Amino acid sequence: MIRFDDVSKRYPGGHEALKQVSFDMDRGEMVFLTGRSGAGKSTLLKLLMLSEPLNQGQILVGGRNIHRLPANKIPYYRRRIGVVFQDHQLLFDRSVYDNVALPLQIDGYDKHEAARRVRAALDKVGLLSKEKLNPMILSGGEQQRIGIARAVVNRPQILLADEPTGNLDPQLAAEIMALFEQFNQIGVSMLIASHDLSLITRLRHRILTLDHGQLIRDEHHPSRSGATAG
């Protein structure tokens, strides 16, 4: 599903964020990406989102080299990917419903189909009863759930999350991770950057560890459903 083949990324000024990183991720797999601040986690996700160019190597998604996609194919590729950020990136001049509906509006979905999908996503994250509220009045955990609903509303094949529990207390963080596992169980491939080793180790999914831009460890654990990550 996803392959990093000898990938390096150097920023202007000479900082080498990733150094010859290689790994494969299977379709439907849930993988955690960890390492200290500055290890290269966010850069790796940005390369997958096509928000940064790479300097060396190739990244294949579904067998295609995404950094060689024609410009007119990039929007279609991005529709396959949902992204969850640590800071939510919500619009506080819009309701919960309108925040989640935004990707569907951009893609030109029919109003009735969009409404069905938005309410299904909100129901999945436990916020259907709050669709008319302004996100500003909700808790940090609820705001993160809005971000997750928005990321999955167009039913992406891949979900990327960059420190999605970084601002949450341990109980809320565990609840958010349980939500991610539910989406993974219906076939969504997931790559989640997190520095919370105590939490992600308990979940027993595969863990990739970065250090100064290098992939130094690739640990496979039996998943809680009994399957083995490949």
Side-chain angles (χ1 to χ4, degrees):
M1 178 63 167
I2 297 174
R3 168 176 281 188
F4 274 62
D5 185 10
D6 199 29
V7 170
S8 295
K9 168 64 182 177
R10 187 179 304 104
Y11 286 104
H15 172 61
E16 201 166 9
L18 292 176
K19 304 173 186 176
Q20 298 179 311
V21 171
S22 296
F23 67 90
D24 290 281
M25 181 174 157
D26 290 342
R27 185 181 302 274
E29 193 175 1
M30 184 170 180
V31 178
F32 288 108
L33 183 66
T34 193
R36 297 177 180 176
S37 179
K41 303 187 298 295
S42 293
T43 295
L44 191 151
L45 295 181
K46 288 176 181 177
L47 292 176
L48 267 171
M49 289 183 266
L50 293 180
S51 59
E52 290 283 352
L54 52 76
N55 299 105
Q56 174 186 310
Q58 60 180 358
I59 301 173
L60 305 178
V61 177
R64 299 192 67 180
N65 186 336
I66 61 171
H67 283 263
R68 291 187 179 177
L69 287 175
N72 65 337
K73 298 293 186 184
I74 291 175
Y76 296 98
Y77 166 73
R78 286 180 171 153
R79 287 173 194 167
R80 299 170 58 191
I81 297 178
V83 183
V84 179
F85 301 95
Q86 179 177 352
D87 62 359
H88 321 312
Q89 298 195 3
L90 301 179
L91 301 173
F92 292 122
D93 62 343
R94 304 188 186 199
S95 68
V96 168
Y97 179 98
D98 288 338
N99 268 273
V100 177
L102 186 60
L104 302 181
Q105 293 170 355
I106 292 171
D107 287 346
Y109 271 78
D110 169 82
K111 185 176 180 180
H112 297 291
E113 173 65 11
R116 189 179 68 80
R117 289 194 177 209
V118 169
R119 293 194 170 104
L122 286 172
D123 188 41
K124 188 70 174 175
V125 301
L127 290 177
L128 184 57
S129 65
K130 301 184 178 183
E131 65 172 73
K132 295 180 181 179
L133 300 181
N134 188 300
M136 188 178 293
I137 69 172
L138 301 182
S139 68
E142 288 171 325
Q143 289 180 7
Q144 188 60 290
R145 287 171 181 265
I146 298 169
I148 294 169
R150 182 183 57 195
V152 302
V153 72
N154 60 354
R155 300 175 184 168
Q157 297 175 10
I158 301 167
L159 187 63
L160 308 177
D162 192 2
E163 298 289 357
T165 62
N167 296 326
L168 305 178
D169 65 43
Q171 180 178 342
L172 286 174
E175 290 175 4
I176 293 300
M177 288 301 183
L179 265 178
F180 287 143
E181 287 195 306
Q182 289 177 32
F183 288 115
N184 177 242
Q185 287 165 9
I186 60 173
V188 180
S189 303
M190 311 198 66
L191 183 58
I192 303 170
S194 176
H195 65 272
D196 191 346
L197 267 177
S198 63
L199 174 59
I200 65 177
T201 301
R202 290 199 304 272
L203 295 173
R204 300 199 60 76
H205 293 281
R206 183 178 173 196
I207 300 175
L208 304 176
T209 304
L210 291 172
D211 183 38
H212 293 91
Q214 293 182 301
L215 181 60
I216 62 168
R217 193 174 301 116
D218 183 352
E219 300 172 277
H220 292 254
H221 298 284
S223 72
R224 296 200 292 187
S225 64
T228 301

